[in-house]
Amino acid sequence: MKVKNLLKAALRSLAKNKMRTFLTMLGIIIGVASVIAMLAIGQGSKQSIQAQISTLGTNVLMIFPSASSSGGVRMEAGSSQKMTIEDVTAITERCPSIAYITPQVRSSGQLVNGNLNWRTSVYGVYPNYFDIKNLKLTSGSVFTMNDDRSAGKVCIIGQTVVTNLFGADADPVGNYIRINKIPFKIIGITEKKGQNSYGQDQDDVVIAPFSTVQKRIMAVTYIQSMLASAVTEALIPNASQEITDVLKAKHNLGPSEDPDFTIRTQTDIANMATATSGILTILLATIASISLLVGGIGIMNIMLVSVTERTREIGIRMSVGARGRDVLLQFLIEALLISLLGGLIGVTIGVLVSQLIANILRWPVTITIQSILMSFLFSSAIGIFFGWYPARKAARLNPIDALRYE
Amino acid sequence: MGETIISVKSLVKTYKMGDVEVHALRGVNVDIVKEDFAAIMGKSGSGKSTFMNIIGCLDVPTKGQYLLDGVDVSSLSKDQLAALRNHKIGFVFQSFNLLSRTSALENVELPLLYNKKISSREMRTRSLNALEAVGLADRAHHFPNQLSGGEQQRVAIARSLVNDPVVILADEPTGNLDTRTSIDVMGIFQKLNQQGITIVIVTHETDIAAFTKRNITFRDGKIIRAIEVDKPRNAKEELANMPVLAEEEL
């Protein structure tokens, strides 16, 4: 039988039982729509997490000293004081994969402006910190290495600090505040960045030259951590290896000894976060796929009923020369049409539902072509898989028995 | 006498019903030549339906030889049998066996759907011609439930004709029809036979068999009698002489 005629015959027999066809299709429609919507939600959350992480800079490496121990009592991670400014210098000189590196110290400081005061974190870093973190200023300028060398009392403050010390729309560049009673000149305001993925307010900071914070505020000689950026994202593993080698040599550790520091990259954090949302996506899609599977069983059920009902028709067709293959194809195409049409409607509804979720619930939603293609292919595969058995049953009927069937 | 269309030699068919063996056919020999019009007769259980199924290529014999238009059927596969049914045989059944909710024309087209050589346009013209031949051209777009029994059987005859078969096999074609309609249907068969089409019908009614040229009687799986019909009844004349029934009597 020609394909055109097969399609015509299949469409006609589906049209004969409109209600039944629709209800059978409904199983597939719901299945496909829910797969699309679930994947859209999963993908959406994954992408928004990735977007948040990439604002932190994707080629960033963080180097922390390991936990110290005194007399067998281990202290918290990062408490070791073995990391010094010489380590930074060594890495700058000997690691070609590193674009920028800055030491980092953090202290908490009480900020005072007139009768207003505010407590927040004070970071001591090199000027290239702004390059590493891709941090921009809305007004003023970044301090220089000269400010660092002279431990200059200048600082850059975040928007939250501005609001709390000067009022919402103020531009306090040029003004002075006191940090732990030491007067600092404000030379810049950072761009508003909002919360990071852990809910921390990234605008509630004071950034000052490294030496200023280390010597004037904290009065220590070690550094708490380092922040570096690789030349490109692809060079992160090289950068990490180079840092390991340099620091181990510097700290007199053999190649087989455990390092006394930890290197963490944004990629690690990003991978962790996307893995979590990936698991969520798989979970949601699996549940949705089960409904698609149930829809497939619905097709099989109805096709079996249909084969029994139309035994006589099959007999007639066979008596006028239909081969088993022709009958098989006829029923298979009916099953396929149900699942394809159902898939098509399901995709439409799935996309609409996803948009509705995005608009009403304000969830991040991403519909990918892959998810549409995949659920479409999956639903046709289900049509063929569950249509096969009834179609084969029809094809194997004996024409004499089929003609006699009442 | 023309060439032999159906040639059957020592045909045996045995069914197994559980432990019991049923001997449906016990050595049947028969030849049906081109332009023949034969009636297969016999009571139920005589083996005539089994014989019909075998010569219709719906079933294969247990033993013996069957040549259809020179082709040995006994050795063919299922698909080859289906092709043979499509190209060489036209079936007419007692219960018409039309597809419901499908127009007369499309019912007639059905065998052509399984014949890949025929284009859609040719399909349509051949089907219309076949309906014309049975006098139903004006009913082409009616559905079976809008047609009378006689008309439905005529559609079935048109369907059997459409693929230009070497033989039309009719299994009790008048079994579900009243006397007048039966004669009408037999008239169509006679007309087709005069045009050179070979026809074999199965019937248990002697007055229906009297319309054919040859009567072959089965009993207990064997042919007990094969006779030429002396003077076949003429359906056309009989219909002409029949009083037309008044409306209320229909």
Side-chain angles (χ1 to χ4, degrees), chain A residues 1-2 4-5 12 16 312-313 316-326 330 399-400 403-404, chain B residues 53 58-59 79 82 85-86 91 93 95 97 99-101 106 110 113-114 116 118-120 159:
Chain A
M1 212 170 174
K2 289 175 189 159
K4 188 185 79 181
N5 294 327
R12 166 162 314 155
K16 273 184 199 167
R312 211 182 167 90
E313 177 195 325
I316 296 169
R317 287 179 183 274
M318 284 178 159
S319 74
V320 301
R323 291 163 303 174
R325 204 190 318 162
D326 295 315
Q330 190 187 341
I400 300 170
L403 277 170
R404 251 186 240 142
Chain B
N53 285 338
L58 289 168
D59 206 350
D79 281 0
R85 289 199 293 272
N86 188 246
F91 281 103
F93 301 96
S95 47
N97 275 343
L99 296 185
S100 59
R101 283 190 272 184
E106 281 165 325
L110 195 63
L113 289 177
Y114 298 102
K116 284 215 172 83
I118 290 167
S119 70
S120 300
R159 182 179 67 192

Side-chain angles (χ1 to χ4, degrees), chain A residues 39-177:
Chain A
L39 283 178
I41 291 168
Q43 285 289 334
S45 70
K46 198 165 163 180
Q47 282 195 357
S48 78
I49 290 170
Q50 276 171 341
Q52 276 179 11
I53 288 166
S54 69
T55 59
L56 307 175
T58 45
N59 48 355
V60 174
L61 300 105
M62 284 170 275
I63 305 117
F64 302 97
S66 299
S68 63
S69 65
S70 69
V73 181
R74 301 196 70 192
M75 311 302 277
E76 65 193 310
S79 57
S80 164
Q81 303 183 350
K82 280 186 196 154
M83 204 175 262
T84 63
I85 196 73
E86 278 93 57
D87 293 333
V88 179
T89 320
I91 290 172
T92 315
E93 283 163 4
R94 284 189 259 155
C95 295
S97 303
I98 297 291
Y100 302 111
I101 182 156
T102 170
Q104 202 171 216
V105 282
R106 202 193 83 179
S107 168
S108 67
Q110 196 70 30
L111 317 183
V112 180
N113 172 45
N115 58 350
L116 297 169
N117 73 96
W118 184 246
R119 190 171 184 84
T120 190
S121 297
V122 180
Y123 287 87
V125 291
Y126 282 170
N128 60 20
Y129 175 84
F130 292 86
D131 299 310
I132 296 169
K133 294 206 83 172
N134 198 17
L135 202 59
K136 305 262 184 320
L137 300 185
T138 46
S139 73
S141 55
V142 179
F143 48 81
T144 62
M145 280 309 279
N146 278 334
D147 292 319
D148 183 72
R149 275 187 281 273
S150 60
K153 291 179 276 184
V154 291
C155 68
I156 291 165
I157 58 176
Q159 199 58 50
T160 307
V161 179
V162 174
T163 309
N164 283 290
L165 291 182
F166 296 94
D169 296 317
D171 182 3
V173 172
N175 290 17
Y176 284 85
I177 53 169

Side-chain angles (χ1 to χ4, degrees), chain A residues 16-307:
Chain A
K16 273 184 199 167
N17 279 306
K18 286 197 187 66
M19 191 61 177
R20 182 199 279 188
T21 306
F22 171 70
L23 288 175
T24 313
M25 224 181 258
L26 200 58
I28 296 293
I29 293 173
I30 292 172
V32 170
S34 49
V35 168
I36 296 263
M38 292 303 148
L39 283 178
I41 291 168
Q43 285 289 334
S45 70
K46 198 165 163 180
Q47 282 195 357
S48 78
I49 290 170
Q50 276 171 341
Q52 276 179 11
I53 288 166
S54 69
T55 59
L56 307 175
T58 45
N59 48 355
V60 174
L61 300 105
M62 284 170 275
I63 305 117
F64 302 97
S66 299
S68 63
S69 65
S70 69
V73 181
R74 301 196 70 192
M75 311 302 277
E76 65 193 310
S79 57
S80 164
Q81 303 183 350
K82 280 186 196 154
M83 204 175 262
T84 63
I85 196 73
E86 278 93 57
D87 293 333
V88 179
T89 320
I91 290 172
T92 315
E93 283 163 4
R94 284 189 259 155
C95 295
S97 303
I98 297 291
Y100 302 111
I101 182 156
T102 170
Q104 202 171 216
V105 282
R106 202 193 83 179
S107 168
S108 67
Q110 196 70 30
L111 317 183
V112 180
N113 172 45
N115 58 350
L116 297 169
N117 73 96
W118 184 246
R119 190 171 184 84
T120 190
S121 297
V122 180
Y123 287 87
V125 291
Y126 282 170
N128 60 20
Y129 175 84
F130 292 86
D131 299 310
I132 296 169
K133 294 206 83 172
N134 198 17
L135 202 59
K136 305 262 184 320
L137 300 185
T138 46
S139 73
S141 55
V142 179
F143 48 81
T144 62
M145 280 309 279
N146 278 334
D147 292 319
D148 183 72
R149 275 187 281 273
S150 60
K153 291 179 276 184
V154 291
C155 68
I156 291 165
I157 58 176
Q159 199 58 50
T160 307
V161 179
V162 174
T163 309
N164 283 290
L165 291 182
F166 296 94
D169 296 317
D171 182 3
V173 172
N175 290 17
Y176 284 85
I177 53 169
R178 275 175 293 148
I179 304 173
N180 293 355
K181 295 181 180 152
I182 307 164
F184 276 76
K185 187 182 184 188
I186 299 168
I187 58 165
I189 315 286
T190 60
E191 201 174 67
K192 206 169 165 60
K193 283 192 100 173
Q195 293 181 357
N196 67 10
S197 44
Y198 311 109
Q200 261 175 353
D201 182 359
Q202 297 178 87
D203 300 319
D204 191 9
V205 289
V206 173
I207 301 164
F210 166 72
S211 310
T212 314
V213 179
Q214 190 198 31
K215 295 186 178 122
R216 292 190 193 270
I217 297 179
M218 295 173 75
V220 295
T221 53
Y222 59 87
I223 62 174
Q224 285 172 328
S225 64
M226 291 182 251
L227 199 66
S229 71
V231 178
T232 63
E233 203 178 334
L235 281 175
I236 285 182
N238 297 24
S240 176
Q241 188 57 49
E242 286 166 10
I243 293 169
T244 308
D245 294 342
V246 168
L247 288 186
K248 271 191 172 178
K250 202 93 182 44
H251 296 180
N252 299 321
L253 294 167
S256 57
E257 277 180 276
D258 284 339
D260 60 353
F261 54 89
T262 316
I263 300 172
R264 206 176 293 160
T265 63
Q266 287 291 358
T267 339
D268 295 340
I269 299 169
N271 286 349
M272 209 167 67
T274 48
T276 314
S277 70
I279 289 167
L280 186 80
T281 310
I282 290 167
L283 192 76
L284 289 173
T286 308
I287 294 168
S289 309
I290 289 171
S291 68
L292 196 52
L293 208 66
V294 174
I297 295 169
I299 290 186
M300 179 139 141
N301 191 10
I302 267 330
M303 290 311 290
L304 280 173
V305 172
S306 176
V307 168

Side-chain angles (χ1 to χ4, degrees), chain A residues 380-401:
Chain A
S380 10
I382 278 199
I384 293 174
F385 182 79
F386 286 103
W388 183 263
Y389 173 71
R392 204 192 53 165
K393 200 179 160 197
R396 287 198 172 175
L397 283 173
N398 177 350
I400 300 170
D401 297 336

